Amino acid sequence: MSNCAIVGINWGDEGKGRMVDLLTERYDVVVRFQGGGNAGHTVENDLGKFALHLLPSGIFRSGVMNILGNGVALDPENLMTEIEEVRSKGVSITPDNLMISDRASLLGPWHRDMDELEEMRLKDKKYGSTKQGIAPFYSDKHQKKTVLAGELFYPEKLMAHLIDIMEWKNLTLELVYGYKPYTLEQIEKWVNESCEKIKPFVADTGAYLKNASESGKQILFEAQLGSLRDLDYGIYPYTTSSNTMAAYAPIGSGFPAAKIDDVIGVCKAYSTCVGEGPFVCEMSGEEAEKLREAGNEYGAKTGRPRRVGPIDLVASRYGVEVQVATEVALTKLDVLSCMDEIPVCTKYIVDGKETDRFPFPLALEDAKPVIEYVKGWKKDISGVREFSELPEEAQDYVIMIEKAIGCPISYVSVGPERESIIIRK
Ligand code: GDP
């Protein structure tokens, strides 16, 4: 029996969703253990093309149980919209293939309001939030000012709890931001219309996972975003508000006894970053535009153009190290087929000195990249399925990355479709 976590090595958008979709074939349960609907996993399979935000990417495989663990930011309104969208393309989503932890905290519309109001207050110092309420949500959770999904089974206690919380929340909305307070009617509407709809999915998922594990079922833990957005290990404060690390999976999934045998770090063959914050290897101008177009680098949630750059070996090595990745899936290699010469960020210059160590977040702001160029292959590789059939330059590129990050690259993805994959083991 072996469990696996699929996590991001970079800034997110590495293609974790496509790897989970591919690998769910081998797993019985897929669990999302952190984050909310603020990012998107794009999955293309025989059922169509989907942008998932909160739903686990195992939702397309029949026989797979998908779980939203206690560590996620569970927005009932947005989750139901997403469920309806996916269902409209013929995917069945019922309590037989989706469960929500009764210990997951609920994200309310006031969290989204707070996110927007704070970004507005910050003006040009904003974090570039997707305004899905994630930061206000996690900060409320840590202040013990959220309600849990399981409270939906205790309607009277739930309402009393919510009224207390909103009395407190309204103070901030009104006095700090000059915003209108939430009324009792609005809160009741949210409970009766949005929360009621998720109730059939809410269960003791901790017990389910324990039983599943004891009966020999294989569990896949799915992360959102990447190492560099981790609250503790990322480019703070331009991080997300949860832990994107494989090490957090046992806690955020609701299965603290989980033994994770395999950590697959998903790493992009070049770099992208959405939102604000230091991005040392960032490219600009025509070269950047060409790469953005070739990789279709526009956010799945917001449509925002992603910032792009060459693969950053310094950041990727750090990403592998903090995720404790046992193997790497290198994605989007096909996108680089358009380049005569491929730039690679091999080191940083920090305080006038070259380094291959990822520095403290504040030092990143003045760090400069050392860029080297390797020969491109200039051939369409999207149909290749064997590593030895890749052009030599492409093989060399993969091997160069493997050596630099110190982790075996077992998967090379050459297209967004499920089957566009080279397996090297
Ligand atoms: P995630 O959040 O890590 O799942 O990543 P996103 O879904 O935000 O971004 C990855 C994007 O790249 C999606 O649009 C995928 O369909 C696409 N993609 C994934 N792997 C490949 C690949 O190997 N080649 C190409 N061309 N696109 C890919």
Side-chain angles (χ1 to χ4, degrees):
M1 197 211 89
S2 80
N3 297 325
C4 168
I6 296 196
V7 294
I9 292 300
N10 313 121
W11 294 262
D13 304 316
E14 298 94 344
K16 295 173 294 294
R18 68 97 66 234
M19 288 308 299
V20 176
D21 178 62
L22 175 79
L23 297 175
T24 43
E25 202 177 26
R26 304 186 209 153
Y27 293 87
D28 306 293
V29 185
V30 179
V31 198
R32 271 280 308 265
F33 58 89
Q34 48 78 226
N38 49 331
H41 289 176
T42 310
V43 175
E44 278 186 56
N45 55 34
D46 44 6
L47 298 167
K49 184 172 177 178
F50 301 86
L52 298 182
H53 301 296
L54 194 54
L55 284 172
S57 307
I59 202 74
F60 306 105
R61 298 269 188 189
S62 65
V64 169
M65 175 55 88
N66 294 273
I67 293 180
L68 292 167
N70 53 279
V72 304
L74 204 120
D75 181 335
E77 259 172 293
N78 283 342
L79 176 63
M80 282 319 298
T81 308
E82 187 178 334
I83 288 178
E84 291 310 333
E85 264 172 40
V86 175
R87 274 180 178 156
S88 73
K89 294 187 184 167
V91 180
S92 163
I93 304 179
T94 70
D96 288 335
N97 68 344
L98 177 69
M99 286 165 89
I100 296 171
S101 164
D102 55 359
R103 286 179 172 269
S105 281
L106 301 184
L107 187 152
W110 52 91
H111 292 121
R112 280 184 251 121
D113 293 341
M114 292 274 297
D115 207 352
E116 180 139 20
L117 290 163
E118 179 58 9
E119 285 284 277
M120 267 159 51
R121 189 191 70 81
L122 285 166
K123 297 200 179 81
D124 57 343
K125 289 186 180 164
K126 66 184 192 305
Y127 292 111
S129 163
T130 53
K131 299 179 188 142
Q132 296 299 306
I134 306 300
F137 164 85
Y138 278 111
S139 89
D140 282 6
K141 176 174 171 177
H142 283 265
Q143 292 197 70
K144 301 163 288 174
K145 301 280 194 192
T146 50
V147 290
L148 305 181
E151 290 183 52
L152 294 172
F153 297 106
Y154 305 85
E156 278 176 25
K157 288 186 178 164
L158 168 72
M159 275 320 291
H161 191 188
L162 264 173
I163 287 166
D164 282 350
I165 287 175
M166 291 316 292
E167 198 177 293
W168 168 79
K169 195 88 250 179
N170 278 339
L171 290 174
T172 317
L173 285 167
E174 272 190 287
L175 302 179
V176 177
Y177 295 106
Y179 196 68
K180 55 186 188 309
Y182 271 79
T183 62
L184 181 61
E185 290 70 40
Q186 283 174 302
I187 299 164
E188 281 173 343
K189 189 165 180 266
W190 177 69
V191 171
N192 295 333
E193 290 183 6
S194 303
C195 301
E196 272 301 307
K197 290 191 189 145
I198 64 159
K199 210 166 149 183
F201 299 100
V202 177
D204 182 353
T205 55
Y208 179 91
L209 284 166
K210 186 168 177 285
N211 286 339
S213 175
E214 281 167 6
S215 59
K217 292 201 167 143
Q218 319 254 331
I219 305 168
L220 184 67
F221 299 89
E222 178 181 12
Q224 180 216 27
L225 295 167
S227 311
L228 304 166
R229 297 289 188 197
D230 181 88
L231 179 62
D232 290 277
Y233 294 91
I235 53 171
Y236 190 85
Y238 298 99
T239 58
T240 194
S241 303
S242 61
N243 290 106
T244 61
M245 295 292 148
Y248 186 73
I251 304 282
S253 65
F255 183 32
K259 186 172 170 305
I260 301 176
D261 312 271
D262 195 14
V263 176
I264 302 182
V266 185
C267 178
K268 218 166 184 161
Y270 53 94
S271 301
T272 59
C273 168
V274 181
E276 310 299 320
F279 184 38
V280 177
C281 68
E282 184 162 15
M283 292 190 326
S284 58
E286 219 174 283
E287 201 184 16
E289 199 46 49
K290 196 170 157 193
L291 183 56
R292 185 176 299 116
E293 282 298 311
N296 190 26
E297 295 300 348
Y298 299 91
K301 182 81 193 174
T302 58
R304 286 190 287 187
R306 293 177 183 146
R307 299 159 74 190
V308 296
I311 188 156
D312 182 333
L313 297 178
V314 180
S316 301
R317 187 183 311 108
Y318 174 76
V320 164
E321 190 181 305
V322 289
Q323 289 288 11
V324 199
T326 54
E327 50 186 321
V328 160
L330 187 73
T331 56
K332 302 194 95 164
L333 188 67
D334 55 304
V335 172
L336 298 180
S337 301
C338 66
M339 292 186 156
D340 294 311
E341 284 198 302
I342 302 174
V344 177
C345 173
T346 52
K347 287 192 173 127
Y348 289 175
I349 300 173
V350 178
D351 294 332
K353 289 192 203 100
E354 280 195 359
T355 178
D356 55 11
R357 291 293 303 166
F358 194 69
F360 183 75
L362 278 185
L364 281 171
E365 287 171 13
D366 299 314
K368 299 275 173 289
V370 174
I371 305 287
E372 292 175 24
Y373 283 83
V374 298
K375 206 160 165 258
W377 46 91
K378 276 286 197 167
K379 264 188 213 117
D380 178 7
I381 56 168
S382 56
V384 176
R385 299 290 176 266
E386 291 292 331
F387 189 71
S388 58
E389 284 166 21
L390 280 173
E392 214 176 297
E393 295 84 354
Q395 293 189 30
D396 290 348
Y397 185 73
V398 175
I399 291 165
M400 178 263 307
I401 296 171
E402 189 170 63
K403 279 195 187 135
I405 62 177
C407 189
I409 296 179
S410 334
Y411 301 90
V412 179
S413 156
V414 289
E417 305 81 15
R418 194 181 268 175
E419 64 283 0
S420 302
I421 195 89
I422 297 169
I423 301 176
R424 282 181 80 210
K425 49 180 183 178

